[in-house]
Amino acid sequence: MMIQKPFVLSGGGARGFAHVGVLKAMEEAGVYPAEIAATSAGSIIGAFVADGFSAEEIRELMLKKIGLSMLVQWDDFRSGFISLKNLGDFMRKNLRHRRLEDLPVPFYVAATNFIDGNQHIFKTGDIVDAVLAASSIPVLFLPMMINDTPFVDGGLSNNLPAEPFEGRKHEVIAVHVNAIPPFDEKSGMAQTLDRTLHLSFMHTVKKSAEGCLLYIEPPALHRFGIFDVHKLSEIYQTGYTYTTQILKDQIFIDP
């Protein structure tokens, strides 16, 4: 029997590949997304799921293609920023649909308006533009201009964007891939930035997770950084193994 639930997928850089492992375990349990709300790395994975790709198809496609050089374009270095053009090209080449409203699974992409800091949910329009807007971490990546408005990473306004499912969060499966690691005074700049961002997101994420049917946050993901794209297989397996274990005690009732 196939069970369908709304899913929320968080951001998390390379850790976002754990979403694929989580979704694979869900598929094996007969649970599939009825709708998806996502931001940042979660929106990259979510776009392919909403487009009809299975978790295994996503895993194979991305393990073959994804590297840091694919994700960013270093020769577009302006004012301290780098570009996500290569990621956009990859998605346009491989996605089967172009617009959010045409996807077989309803898909809501959360970005942050860089003028007023408010969350913006894209429900219609170009899929790739919305995903790039939701994935543009300030300082690292250029803001994405859509209709003359600059948008940046949706994590700044809510890294677990459950807003599209307000009023029915009891149905939602929320996946957060940013377990906070133990404090290490010897952490480098990248680790410190990662920790700082997700500590600042923590209150909003907890609020979003409250009342959800199932909240998944694999603890072992704290071992991976946001740029660990060379460890995608391990990240995938971490999400898959953890979810397989917790689903052993989970009973889903489809209303």
Side-chain angles (χ1 to χ4, degrees):
M1 180 178 69
M2 183 174 72
I3 297 171
Q4 293 184 299
K5 298 292 182 184
F7 274 67
V8 179
L9 307 180
S10 77
R15 288 188 298 268
F17 203 63
H19 288 306
V20 186
V22 171
L23 289 162
K24 175 64 174 176
M26 287 287 176
E27 287 178 5
E28 290 179 353
V31 183
Y32 295 83
E35 305 169 70
I36 302 168
T39 192
S40 202
S43 70
I44 298 170
I45 303 303
F48 284 91
V49 177
D51 200 33
F53 285 73
S54 69
E56 184 61 24
E57 288 173 326
I58 298 169
R59 187 186 74 85
E60 291 182 359
L61 176 66
M62 293 193 171
L63 284 180
K64 289 178 182 177
K65 300 292 185 180
I66 285 188
L68 195 57
S69 61
M70 192 283 288
L71 292 174
V72 301
Q73 184 171 319
W74 298 99
D75 61 1
D76 191 19
F77 201 88
R78 294 177 289 162
S79 303
F81 299 102
I82 48 184
S83 170
L84 287 172
K85 180 181 182 299
N86 289 350
L87 174 60
D89 291 345
F90 167 80
M91 294 186 70
R92 292 189 196 282
K93 179 180 178 181
N94 290 284
L95 286 173
R96 299 158 182 159
H97 294 81
R98 292 290 173 261
R99 298 186 64 80
L100 290 163
E101 60 267 34
D102 295 332
L103 289 168
V105 176
F107 184 41
Y108 314 108
V109 182
T112 302
N113 184 315
F114 206 32
I115 294 175
D116 58 23
N118 289 326
Q119 183 189 67
H120 182 88
I121 304 290
F122 289 96
K123 302 176 183 178
T124 62
D126 187 271
I127 299 167
V128 176
D129 284 353
V131 169
L132 296 185
S135 304
S136 296
I137 302 171
V139 180
L140 294 179
F141 303 114
L142 292 164
M144 183 72 185
M145 298 297 297
I146 299 177
N147 296 329
D148 297 323
T149 300
F151 290 97
V152 293
D153 197 289
L156 272 69
S157 47
N158 188 355
N159 205 32
L160 194 68
E163 287 83 359
F165 309 130
E166 204 62 46
R168 49 194 180 104
K169 284 172 64 177
H170 61 283
E171 303 174 17
V172 169
I173 296 173
V175 187
H176 184 249
V177 296
N178 304 293
I180 305 295
F183 176 72
D184 182 359
E185 62 183 14
K186 297 180 181 180
S187 294
M189 185 173 68
Q191 291 84 1
T192 300
L193 171 64
D194 194 359
R195 184 181 187 85
T196 300
L197 284 173
H198 290 99
L199 282 173
S200 70
F201 298 164
M202 186 181 294
H203 175 75
T204 306
V205 166
K206 286 184 176 179
K207 186 176 179 181
S208 273
E210 288 176 1
C212 287
L213 171 66
L214 185 61
Y215 177 68
I216 298 173
E217 184 186 78
L221 287 175
H222 77 73
R223 299 183 292 113
F224 305 102
I226 58 174
F227 291 115
D228 281 347
V229 292
H230 58 294
K231 297 180 180 179
L232 292 185
S233 290
E234 296 172 62
I235 292 170
Y236 167 91
Q237 193 62 42
T238 300
Y240 174 79
T241 301
Y242 179 78
T243 306
T244 300
Q245 288 298 318
I246 67 169
L247 287 179
K248 289 180 179 180
D249 300 319
Q250 181 69 37
I251 299 175
F252 292 101
I253 299 175
D254 214 10

